[in-house]
Amino acid sequence: MLYALNTDGELQSLYQLTQAEIDLARKAPYVCPVCHELLQIRSGRRTVPHFSHFPKSNCTVIKGGETVEHDRGKWRLFTWLKNQGYEVHLEQYLQEIRQRPDIYLMVNGKKIAIEYQCATVTNQEINKRTLSYRDAGIFPLWILGTKHLHSSNSYHLSLSDFTRSFFYYLNDDYYLYFFHASKGQISVLSNVKSAGGRRVFAKTFSSSITNLRFPQLFTPGSYDHGDEPFLREVERLWYKNRTVYQSQVSSEERQYRQYLYLRGYHFSLIPSICYLPVPGQVQTGMRPYVWQTRLFLDHFFHLPIGSFVEFPTLSIGCSTPNGYAPHLSQQYLDLLTQLNIIEKTGKNNYIKSKQVPFHKRIEDALEDDRRTLEQLKNLQRIKI
């Protein structure tokens, strides 16, 4: 670990100390802030200076297998918050929930637990810890190590299911937080859009923590790269879905194709409105056409014009760490309303205003895609 308690009970770090200062520190006793065992100092030409437990220690820090990156990141975030005047604690044990967050702080009376997550663990473990914090009235703020940030350019990123589970929904937008421990740089993803799968489009705001205040994490500034790159991705996926046959597909895709086959339809000829980008798609890796086609066939296609349209609630399986779960069916209804496929006649009342057929020729399907894409481009007030 990069920090320890000195004889005055104060946290001290070896970070950025000279070799002479480290040699001087060896003469004083230091203990672990978690288990209070005596520590030794290790350093060398190929070793990052750090405090270390002696052999046969039973400290939970050792059992947790913390990396230097994680250790350094916790310390830098802790000192960053402390220098801003916040009441902040490093690895404080919370007896009521039997958890020890990396950083625990109070902001205007609000309790916040910050977890700097570098390793990949199970979603079950993340959900368990998140719910434990929320049940205790503590806001859980997960900040990921930058090894989980895979970006090919300034707005195009690839996210694993693990990384996707850390999205926050704040101020009608999705946010995702990363911290580079060595560089001391925080990156915030916002204005996130997804057409399904791992690929997402987002604004990436990056700043050294020395130039950033804590509240700015939640208001990274106004910026919009526009919908053009994202809609080009939608167009590419639509075209690929119609013209490229993939024999090796997931079980979810096979079940979807079988569902259509048993009803006499082919997946390459679905109406364009069965593959629409909705905001909540960010939280699920499921392809939108899988669930939209089922809603279309089971709850819309057979209805005569003028009939009431009602979609069942779809569950995506998990919520954001701050407890938000998107209503995908409602978002789909809203977008169909914008496209004049249905009409909203009351708070929760919708009627069918247009008949939408399955295509019989690929040429007709591609022309439908072109028209629908133009409609999406013209929807200035909808957040896709």
Side-chain angles (χ1 to χ4, degrees), residues 172-189:
D172 297 325
D173 198 0
Y174 284 99
Y175 293 81
L176 191 58
Y177 301 95
F178 299 89
F179 182 58
H180 196 298
S182 298
K183 295 181 179 179
Q185 178 176 283
I186 282 182
S187 296
V188 183
L189 267 60

Side-chain angles (χ1 to χ4, degrees), residues 15 72 76 116 146 179-186 207-210:
Y15 183 67
R72 180 185 287 119
R76 297 197 73 169
Y116 179 48
T146 49
F179 182 58
H180 196 298
S182 298
K183 295 181 179 179
Q185 178 176 283
I186 282 182
S207 172
S208 168
I209 55 175
T210 58

Side-chain angles (χ1 to χ4, degrees), residues 163-291:
T163 306
R164 192 185 299 272
S165 65
F166 294 97
F167 268 117
Y168 285 81
Y169 192 73
L170 305 164
N171 305 316
D172 297 325
D173 198 0
Y174 284 99
Y175 293 81
L176 191 58
Y177 301 95
F178 299 89
F179 182 58
H180 196 298
S182 298
K183 295 181 179 179
Q185 178 176 283
I186 282 182
S187 296
V188 183
L189 267 60
S190 63
N191 193 30
V192 188
K193 300 177 177 68
S194 171
R198 291 176 177 267
R199 189 175 298 183
V200 300
F201 287 75
K203 165 207 169 177
T204 302
F205 167 84
S206 297
S207 172
S208 168
I209 55 175
T210 58
N211 301 322
L212 198 66
R213 304 286 293 179
F214 181 65
Q216 290 178 270
L217 292 184
F218 312 101
T219 55
S222 60
Y223 172 85
D224 193 344
H225 52 66
D227 288 336
E228 282 300 319
F230 173 64
L231 290 177
R232 284 198 297 269
E233 172 69 2
V234 171
E235 183 178 22
R236 184 189 72 83
L237 291 174
W238 283 1
Y239 186 80
K240 179 180 178 181
N241 187 59
R242 298 200 189 280
T243 62
V244 179
Y245 179 76
Q246 294 178 294
S247 58
Q248 300 296 323
V249 295
S250 66
S251 59
E252 177 186 78
E253 182 79 16
R254 287 196 299 270
Q255 292 172 14
Y256 161 73
R257 293 182 180 182
Q258 180 70 3
Y259 166 84
L260 284 173
Y261 173 77
L262 293 176
R263 287 159 179 77
Y265 302 110
H266 194 269
F267 61 88
S268 67
L269 297 173
I270 62 173
S272 301
I273 64 166
C274 291
Y275 199 165
L276 296 177
V278 296
Q281 189 65 45
V282 168
Q283 283 184 244
T284 173
M286 181 171 57
R287 300 287 182 180
Y289 57 75
V290 172
W291 59 270

